Amino acid sequence: LSVTLQPSNQALYFEVLRSDTGASLFDAGASAVHHWRGGLPVEDIYLVRIYLYPSAVRYNERSDYLLHIGITPPSLSGRPLR
């Protein structure tokens, strides 16, 4: 899975979550980055949550953004299909 966020406000970030447990797979705000690429540990539905840092929300800041999400099938990523 790859996720790239292009925000107009640099205080906008994303988090990748597992839908069954709500566990965070990656939180861009903790790393201060706007791109992530990683493997998905189990077959599940994953959510991408977009959020503004609380300090930006306090000042009523807003952001426009473009979100790019890509998925590489296991057969193309070098991992065998199960």
Side-chain angles (χ1 to χ4, degrees), residues 16-80:
V16 179
L17 305 158
R18 284 186 51 183
S19 67
D20 63 345
T21 64
S24 179
L25 196 64
F26 178 77
D27 186 350
S31 305
V33 298
H34 291 104
H35 176 78
W36 176 77
R37 177 178 290 179
L40 302 176
V42 297
E43 186 175 314
D44 193 4
I45 295 172
Y46 291 85
L47 307 173
V48 177
R49 182 176 70 102
I50 308 296
Y51 67 94
L52 268 174
Y53 258 28
S55 58
V57 172
R58 279 193 294 273
Y59 293 104
N60 287 328
E61 293 182 26
R62 299 182 184 274
S63 181
D64 294 321
Y65 63 89
L66 292 174
L67 179 66
H68 302 274
I69 298 175
I71 297 177
T72 302
S75 63
L76 298 178
S77 68
R79 294 189 328 221

Side-chain angles (χ1 to χ4, degrees), residues 8 62 70 81-82:
S8 62
R62 299 182 184 274
L81 291 172
R82 295 183 210 189

